[in-house]
Amino acid sequence: MVTVERIRDDSEKRILRCSEGNSVWYQMWINPEDMMRIELLLEGGSRTWMKELQKYYVFFYERKNGRRILGKDRVKKILDTLL
């Protein structure tokens, strides 16, 4: 069962932390200015421009099957930058 925690959900940005078993991942809808601020931290994450929403959809794993993809430190930097 997937557990979803809303870290932020308003008209500016939406940030979700999802987990299932050993996997933890993040889904975000953010504006271009925020995307520019975290671009360098997103190695290993994906981003898609959503023309209809005029926002970026960002997806990345913190952990996948016990293996750290971005790691807690980089995820913390991304969240601190956006929040």
Side-chain angles (χ1 to χ4, degrees):
M1 176 189 239
V2 175
T3 304
V4 178
E5 175 188 348
R6 289 184 187 155
I7 296 175
R8 182 167 172 178
D9 192 0
D10 57 35
S11 62
E12 295 296 315
K13 50 190 105 172
R14 183 175 196 198
I15 303 172
L16 304 177
R17 180 186 187 274
C18 307
S19 61
E20 182 178 36
N22 289 336
S23 297
V24 177
W25 65 93
Y26 291 81
Q27 298 181 57
M28 303 176 182
W29 291 261
I30 58 176
N31 61 37
E33 293 81 19
D34 284 331
M35 186 66 216
M36 289 185 336
R37 293 169 49 205
I38 66 167
E39 186 77 42
L40 296 175
L41 299 169
L42 276 178
E43 256 179 64
S46 66
R47 68 251 318 117
T48 304
W49 175 247
M50 301 185 74
K51 186 177 178 180
E52 310 82 35
L53 297 176
Q54 295 294 302
K55 295 198 182 288
Y56 278 96
Y57 170 70
V58 180
F59 175 90
F60 60 87
Y61 279 96
E62 177 183 324
R63 277 192 317 240
K64 185 174 182 181
N65 298 326
R67 190 181 76 154
R68 292 198 184 281
I69 305 295
L70 288 186
K72 284 185 177 182
D73 292 341
R74 207 161 14 147
V75 169
K76 183 177 180 344
K77 285 180 186 177
I78 289 170
L79 294 177
D80 287 347
T81 300
L82 295 175
L83 299 174

